[in-house]
Amino acid sequence: MTKIFISCALPYANGPCHLGHLRSTYIPADIYARYNRMAGNDVLMVCATDEHGTPIAVKADAEGKEPIEVAKRYHDMIVEDINSCDISFDNFARTTDKIHYQISQDFFKYLYNKGLIYEETIQQLYCENCEKFLPDRYVEGICPVCGAEARGDHCEVCGRALDPIELVEPKCLTCGNTPVIRDSTQYFFKLSHFQKPLEEYISTNPYLPPNVRNYAQNWLKEGLQDWIMTRDMKWGIPVPLEGAEGKVIYVWGEAFIGYMSSAAAWSRRTGIPWEDYWNGHVVHFIGKDIIYHHSLFWPAMLLGRDCKLPDDIFAGEFLSLEGRKMSTSKNWVVWVADFVKDFDSDLLRYYLTINAPLNKDTDFSWDEFQRRVNDELADVIGNFLHRTFTFTKKFFDGKVPEYKNPSEADLEFEQAIKELPDKVGDLIADMKFREGLVEIILTAKKGNKYFNDQEPWKAVKEDMERASNCLYLSNQLCKAMAVLLKPYIPNKADAICEIINIPTENTWDDAKVFLETGHEINKAKPLFKKIEDKVIEAQKEKLYKNLETQENESKDDKKDEKKSEESIDEGEKMDLISIDEFAKVEIKIGKILKCEKIEKSNKLLRTQIDIGDKTIQVIAGLGKRYAPEDLVGKKVPVVTNLKPAKLMGELSEGMIMATESAAILTPDDCEIGELLM
């Protein structure tokens, strides 16, 4: 028996769960946990709500409440969402629990005493009116790269990660005052110290899936930089060092530890050491947007703490909605609480699993949801179950008939039933959850074909042995599916067990054990009802109405629009534009004639660029990736018809086109002044 530690990424307590959370993290983790419990492994699955950080503090300020009130409100919603979808956590905690504070502070002090956390003076924005340093989310201003309105850590328009001191015309989000730059002492973790061991961990770990390995290796190629571990705030876990009053541990410096503190809380309740599970096989289920946190930052912290590293980090890809990126601010989202009001949660578990492998982005479509429920659950599985149970009741008095002198078709179907448990189990163990479910569907399709070919409704009059064999084997597949579907759709699996008259608590190998001749089943009842068109149309109408309402409100109130943009999910794509709108953008090939750093900025560079008919000045945020001397003479694509703007007091007359990591596109074979089409 293997001990397995399973964790799910901590949901952030500033909103309830939507379908994307379930698809990327909680449903796959639950499938894996349920299967392993049934397979005889000793599983501990934990999670908690992540309740610190600036977004919660900002929301609390806006509502005139204490942050703990906001966190508690959303914690309760999240717990209800998770329970409604039967996610079988052994413990679900909070990062505001006392045990989490204790373990996080002990972790921090251990790293500090080991010399892996050090003090450094940096420049930060300070609001003289509020008399406090401003964390990134407490600052608004103008993006120094594209000139759009931006928040302190990120520009939604150009996608650049920002440092608050780089913002043009920064404003304190609380009072609107213009902050000043002051020296501030913070604590940094020596992430760079772990470059080599992390390279080895990522390259040699046989469990890491390709998307996690590739993402982490790309970061490692850039070279790891030391990581700030503290913030000047009241809301958070206080830094447990003398002289660090008013500072808290950065949320990413303690959120990971929620896995351990939740497990420790479980240990206190049960008396079972959680460490035995961590020293067994550790699997983290996360979304792909936090891969680098879990594959680099967290393992480095664990190495520093002399702990075993996670064995597997399984990152689910994104879920879009009706072909568009989900956006909570635009109400383009399906909330879990709304879904389970109208549909059985098992239907959601089924659809989000069967729709696409988890290592690929996929889309939630109401039409496709209806099709899969109707065509697969109702017409394939439901139809096979209902016909088997109904015919057994009608022709064999509700008892499993005899099995004698099997034909070639009988033996072939029998073999498919016997092979199914190992096929599905191996796929789930290998994290191929969709593929395991597909095997069940395919075998149910074989069952329907076998049933049709044997024609038991005719055979009971002409060849009773043939009819008996057909219903015997059909009941065996029903029993196998009752067990094998348990990790995927647990409520419906239990309902099948009740009809078959077997216990709802099963081991995986129970799927291999055939029902005995004479075993009595209960009366059949429909398990999967088809979803009518009008039900789906109502869901789509509600969704689009929500979006239309939000867009109308945004047009009427520019201030609300600004706030909405700030809370758009990270990674959201910009709205589509027409070819006519794109045609307004003038992009030319230019040559950098001169390049120099701008004083008091570690990212901005002042460039003089020849674009053929003239030379323009462009302020570009490329300084962290390129030295000024490396850019002189380089050809670059430049947007040349932007409205001029002042960045850090310097005139910028265009924008160099580069990726979000500041990598410049290199049109070396183009002519200077040439227009991009």
Side-chain angles (χ1 to χ4, degrees):
M1 181 173 65
T2 301
K3 288 188 182 297
I4 303 176
F5 188 108
I6 301 173
S7 73
C8 290
L10 308 190
Y12 199 58
N14 69 339
C17 292
H18 57 64
L19 302 192
H21 297 128
L22 289 174
R23 193 261 176 177
S24 68
T25 307
Y26 307 116
I27 290 175
D30 191 57
I31 293 170
Y32 187 71
R34 287 176 180 272
Y35 161 73
N36 275 287
R37 293 185 189 115
M38 294 174 71
N41 293 318
D42 191 0
V43 172
L44 173 59
M45 184 165 79
V46 298
C47 193
T49 41
D50 181 3
E51 301 186 14
H52 297 124
T54 52
I56 290 175
V58 169
K59 185 183 283 284
D61 286 349
E63 295 181 8
K65 298 182 181 295
E66 292 297 319
I68 190 66
E69 295 180 77
V70 173
K72 173 66 166 60
R73 180 171 78 233
Y74 289 116
H75 167 83
D76 292 345
M77 288 183 184
I78 290 167
V79 168
E80 188 173 341
D81 289 339
I82 286 171
N83 289 340
S84 72
C85 293
D86 301 290
I87 309 300
S88 57
F89 286 117
D90 295 292
N91 196 70
F92 193 89
R94 305 176 62 182
T95 59
T96 50
D97 292 338
K98 288 182 180 179
I99 191 172
H100 179 73
Y101 272 56
Q102 176 189 336
I103 294 175
S104 297
Q105 289 179 324
D106 289 346
F107 208 110
F108 188 96
K109 283 192 290 187
Y110 187 96
L111 296 176
Y112 179 80
N113 292 334
K114 201 174 176 181
L116 294 173
I117 291 179
Y118 62 91
E119 294 181 48
E120 182 172 306
T121 299
I122 61 172
Q123 289 187 323
Q124 286 190 290
L125 292 180
Y126 181 86
C127 180
E128 295 175 312
N129 186 49
C130 297
E131 297 183 333
K132 66 180 182 181
F133 283 100
L134 301 179
D136 45 27
R137 293 290 185 98
Y138 274 88
V139 186
E140 297 175 320
I142 304 299
C143 175
V145 180
C146 71
E149 292 181 351
R151 67 188 190 209
D153 64 338
H154 184 73
C155 176
E156 294 287 354
V157 176
C158 69
R160 298 297 197 277
L162 300 172
D163 187 314
I165 66 171
E166 295 174 335
L167 288 177
V168 180
E169 300 177 10
K171 300 291 182 185
C172 172
L173 186 62
T174 302
C175 70
N177 191 49
T178 300
V180 297
I181 296 176
R182 285 191 182 179
D183 288 343
S184 171
T185 299
Q186 298 294 341
Y187 292 84
F188 284 75
F189 174 60
K190 290 185 179 178
L191 182 63
S192 59
H193 178 75
F194 297 97
Q195 176 84 27
K196 292 297 182 183
L198 287 175
E199 286 176 353
E200 182 178 358
Y201 168 66
I202 295 299
S203 63
T204 63
N205 185 347
Y207 296 105
L208 290 183
N211 62 338
V212 173
R213 190 188 313 280
N214 294 339
Y215 199 98
Q217 286 178 334
N218 286 336
W219 268 71
L220 287 165
K221 286 176 185 176
E222 296 292 325
L224 298 179
Q225 304 295 318
D226 290 351
W227 183 35
I228 189 168
M229 284 282 279
T230 55
R231 292 288 190 272
D232 289 297
M233 292 181 65
K234 294 179 180 179
W235 178 239
I237 299 178
V239 174
L241 301 174
E242 288 187 17
E245 292 76 15
K247 299 185 188 301
V248 298
I249 302 172
Y250 176 42
V251 65
W252 276 114
E254 48 93 0
F256 304 115
I257 300 169
Y259 305 142
M260 293 180 168
S261 63
S262 183
W266 174 84
S267 287
R268 288 188 178 183
R269 189 176 73 248
T270 63
I272 303 171
W274 69 269
E275 295 89 346
D276 293 345
Y277 295 84
W278 188 273
N279 291 324
H281 187 79
V282 179
V283 184
H284 291 325
F285 284 87
I286 63 172
K288 75 173 182 180
D289 54 329
I290 51 175
I291 287 176
Y292 65 93
H293 299 84
H294 283 78
S295 61
L296 299 174
F297 298 172
W298 176 226
M301 289 173 62
L302 290 169
L303 286 169
R305 188 64 179 81
D306 303 313
C307 294
K308 176 183 176 292
L309 300 186
D311 297 285
D312 197 351
I313 303 169
F314 190 84
E317 302 283 323
F318 289 147
L319 178 72
S320 56
L321 176 59
E322 297 289 353
R324 301 175 59 158
K325 179 70 177 180
M326 282 198 204
S327 171
T328 57
S329 64
K330 293 181 178 179
N331 218 1
W332 187 253
V333 67
V334 176
W335 301 108
V336 172
D338 291 336
F339 185 96
V340 297
K341 286 177 185 175
D342 299 324
F343 301 98
D344 191 311
S345 62
D346 274 3
L347 304 185
L348 179 63
R349 291 175 64 110
Y350 176 82
Y351 176 68
L352 292 180
T353 303
I354 199 71
N355 204 32
L358 283 160
N359 60 0
K360 294 182 179 179
D361 290 344
T362 191
D363 184 64
F364 183 95
S365 159
W366 279 113
D367 288 335
E368 184 67 4
F369 168 72
Q370 178 193 25
R371 186 192 70 78
R372 285 200 176 271
V373 169
N374 291 353
D375 294 356
E376 295 167 359
L377 284 179
D379 283 348
V380 177
I381 291 181
N383 183 52
F384 180 77
L385 292 169
H386 194 70
R387 289 203 297 176
T388 297
F389 298 147
T390 301
F391 275 72
T392 301
K393 203 76 175 175
K394 182 176 182 180
F395 297 120
F396 295 96
D397 198 25
K399 297 177 182 178
V400 176
E402 291 184 319
Y403 184 57
K404 292 195 277 187
N405 303 315
S407 66
E408 185 175 334
D410 294 334
L411 292 172
E412 182 180 343
F413 186 45
E414 180 184 3
Q415 186 65 25
I417 298 168
K418 289 180 176 179
E419 291 175 351
L420 186 61
D422 285 340
K423 279 185 179 180
V424 177
D426 289 346
L427 288 166
I428 295 177
D430 198 30
M431 305 289 187
K432 296 178 179 177
F433 307 117
R434 177 183 182 272
E435 291 81 352
L437 192 49
V438 166
E439 283 295 332
I440 297 174
I441 296 295
L442 290 175
T443 306
K445 286 182 177 180
K446 288 180 182 178
N448 278 311
K449 183 178 185 306
Y450 169 79
F451 201 98
N452 289 337
D453 291 346
Q454 299 308 306
E455 300 179 314
W457 57 91
K458 290 175 58 178
V460 291
K461 301 175 183 177
E462 304 168 358
D463 186 348
M464 183 56 74
E465 186 175 271
R466 179 180 172 187
S468 178
N469 285 353
C470 173
L471 269 300
Y472 173 86
L473 290 176
S474 294
N475 274 285
Q476 307 308 336
L477 178 56
C478 291
K479 192 243 182 172
M481 288 196 298
V483 177
L484 304 183
L485 285 170
K486 189 66 173 281
Y488 294 104
I489 47 175
N491 293 322
K492 294 298 185 184
D494 284 349
I496 300 170
C497 287
E498 289 169 3
I499 295 173
I500 297 175
N501 195 21
I502 61 174
T504 55
E505 295 296 323
N506 312 107
T507 69
W508 195 254
D509 284 345
D510 285 341
K512 301 177 182 179
V513 180
F514 277 23
L515 296 167
E516 293 183 357
T517 296
H519 176 87
E520 189 167 358
I521 66 171
N522 294 318
K523 184 179 179 180
K525 58 183 178 181
L527 293 171
F528 301 101
K529 295 181 180 179
K530 288 194 173 185
I531 302 173
E532 297 180 5
D533 291 346
K534 63 181 181 181
V535 173
I536 294 301
E537 288 305 315
Q539 293 294 336
K540 290 194 290 185
E541 182 179 348
K542 180 170 64 174
L543 179 66
Y544 282 94
K545 186 176 181 180
N546 287 343
L547 180 65
E548 182 181 356
T549 300
Q550 182 66 34
E551 288 178 343
N552 287 339
E553 289 175 355
S554 296
K555 290 176 183 177
D556 294 340
D557 191 339
K558 292 296 183 181
K559 185 175 181 181
D560 284 348
E561 180 181 28
K562 178 183 176 185
K563 289 182 178 179
S564 174
E565 289 170 353
E566 289 164 3
S567 59
I568 292 175
D569 298 339
E570 287 192 14
E572 182 176 356
K573 297 177 183 176
M574 288 182 282
D575 292 336
L576 297 177
I577 64 172
S578 69
I579 189 65
D580 292 333
E581 290 175 295
F582 177 73
K584 296 176 183 178
V585 181
E586 182 180 86
I587 306 172
K588 290 184 177 181
I589 303 303
K591 181 178 180 180
I592 298 178
L593 304 177
K594 186 178 180 181
C595 183
E596 56 191 347
K597 285 187 176 181
I598 292 180
E599 190 178 351
K600 295 184 179 180
S601 174
N602 61 355
K603 182 186 287 188
L604 295 181
L605 302 177
R606 182 190 304 107
T607 65
Q608 302 295 323
I609 304 178
D610 176 7
I611 58 171
D613 56 344
K614 62 179 177 178
T615 298
I616 63 173
Q617 176 170 287
V618 174
I619 308 303
L622 308 172
K624 283 191 174 181
R625 190 175 184 111
Y626 301 98
E629 57 271 20
D630 294 336
L631 294 179
V632 175
K634 194 175 189 68
K635 290 181 181 178
V636 291
V638 186
V639 178
T640 57
N641 63 338
L642 283 178
K643 184 179 178 180
K646 281 200 171 183
L647 308 178
M648 295 287 286
E650 299 282 347
L651 181 68
S652 184
E653 302 173 283
M655 182 173 71
I656 295 174
M657 297 186 68
T659 68
E660 62 181 340
S661 63
I664 294 174
L665 306 180
T666 53
D668 293 333
D669 295 332
C670 302
E671 297 295 329
I672 295 173
E674 190 173 352
L675 189 65
L676 261 66
M677 304 299 290

